[in-house]
Amino acid sequence: MRFLKLRPGRRWLLRLGAVVLLAAGTAAAIRTAESEWAARHFRAAIDRAYALSVHAGFEVREVMVIGRKRTTREEVRSALGAVAGSPILGVDIRAARTRVEALPWVRQAEVERALPDLLVVRLVERETLAVWDSGRDFAVIDRTGLAIPNLDPRDFSDLPVVRGEGAAAAAPAILATLGQEPDVARRVTGLTFVSGRRWNVHLDWRIEIMLPEESAEAAWARLAQINRERRLLDGDIAHIDMRFDGRMVLRMAGNKTAERS
């Protein structure tokens, strides 16, 4: 069984564990029991089996959490619902995993028994991507574009702000594209999704880059190359329009316009 593991040196417990699991398996019969009396006796038998298993050492004594960064150990223990000294064979692994995955920072979890007394929890936590401005409020989104609950966006001022209808869902793809040019990407402070088709990218809260609907990746790479050669983005520029093939229209802070190929 995937979720039933023995730690080295304790394999003699396997036989008793198998007996207890067999007794616990009769719980399925409760669903088809025709009388309340039968169901009540099945439950009593299972409770006695679990009590015997605790006497044999099959109890929760330790919880090991692997992959935890932002999730607290106390949150994981509470979500497991297994207190110290409770029957480890009585822990509902699927239900425990569901509860752990409901924690704000947890994207994926695995819960396993390492008999006789250890629960092992492996976490894959969510990674922050951006702050989403929905027009009504702000939310921190992860790398799949989903909001992470119970977070104060003001605590994540280092993340870019994305705006526009559908921006949260589309943000992972455009930020992955921008990340291919890290020297410029680290200056991104905001992005606006325009008509659900293309992006305006804001650098240093002062320069707006209008990317084309098609070939946005090529346009971004061209901008990064020109910046490496001429330090373009260090100039007094307010807007760069890259929506025209092979051309770049610059609007300076003083409202002057220039064009480059």
Side-chain angles (χ1 to χ4, degrees):
M1 294 180 65
R2 183 182 176 190
F3 297 118
L4 185 59
K5 295 184 177 181
L6 285 175
R7 286 192 282 173
R10 304 301 293 272
R11 295 187 180 278
W12 59 271
L13 291 168
L14 180 58
R15 184 176 301 173
L16 178 57
V19 172
V20 175
L21 284 176
L22 182 61
T26 61
I30 294 175
R31 299 190 184 96
T32 57
E34 294 183 356
S35 73
E36 219 177 285
W37 180 91
R40 187 166 59 252
H41 280 72
F42 272 126
R43 292 191 184 97
I46 292 169
D47 288 343
R48 287 195 296 272
Y50 284 150
L52 288 172
S53 73
V54 169
H55 286 299
F58 287 82
E59 61 180 304
V60 177
R61 293 182 179 174
E62 185 179 355
V63 175
M64 178 186 297
V65 184
I66 301 170
R68 180 186 66 83
K69 294 180 181 178
R70 295 182 181 266
T71 306
T72 68
R73 198 176 300 275
E74 290 70 25
E75 285 176 321
V76 174
R77 289 178 178 272
S78 177
L80 286 174
V83 299
S86 62
I88 194 169
L89 298 176
V91 176
D92 187 331
I93 294 295
R94 289 186 180 180
R97 182 182 64 196
T98 298
R99 291 193 298 271
V100 172
E101 288 183 339
L103 295 173
W105 283 106
V106 177
R107 181 169 67 85
Q108 183 179 350
E110 288 188 2
V111 181
E112 298 179 342
R113 299 182 184 92
L115 297 180
D117 54 17
L118 174 66
L119 287 175
V120 180
V121 182
R122 293 180 175 85
L123 302 180
V124 177
E125 292 191 326
R126 302 166 76 175
E127 297 182 49
T128 58
L129 179 70
V131 172
W132 176 38
D133 177 4
S134 68
R136 298 180 301 274
D137 52 19
F138 293 84
V140 179
I141 60 173
D142 66 12
R143 293 188 178 275
T144 66
L146 297 177
I148 304 176
N150 305 324
L151 297 186
D152 187 343
R154 292 172 295 185
D155 295 333
F156 297 87
S157 58
D158 58 318
L159 296 178
V161 177
V162 297
R163 300 181 175 91
E165 186 175 353
I174 186 62
L175 286 170
T177 295
L178 302 185
Q180 296 179 24
E181 299 292 344
D183 288 343
V184 185
R186 66 170 57 99
R187 298 174 64 173
V188 174
T189 51
L191 302 97
T192 302
F193 202 29
V194 181
S195 301
R197 296 182 292 108
R198 66 170 196 84
W199 290 92
N200 288 348
V201 181
H202 307 271
L203 304 182
D204 305 327
W205 298 115
R206 67 179 184 86
I207 304 175
E208 183 177 42
I209 314 294
M210 301 176 185
L211 292 178
E213 181 178 351
E214 303 291 337
S215 304
E217 182 176 352
W220 185 252
R222 187 167 73 253
L223 174 66
Q225 181 62 35
I226 293 174
N227 187 59
R228 281 191 290 270
E229 295 171 352
R230 310 178 192 178
R231 311 305 304 173
L232 175 69
L233 300 176
D234 291 339
D236 194 18
I237 297 172
H239 300 273
I240 302 177
D241 194 341
M242 305 190 71
R243 293 176 293 172
F244 311 100
D245 290 341
R247 289 188 297 140
M248 182 183 298
V249 178
L250 281 62
R251 186 174 298 277
M252 313 305 287
N255 211 31
K256 296 180 180 179
T257 300
E259 183 175 314
R260 295 191 181 186
S261 58

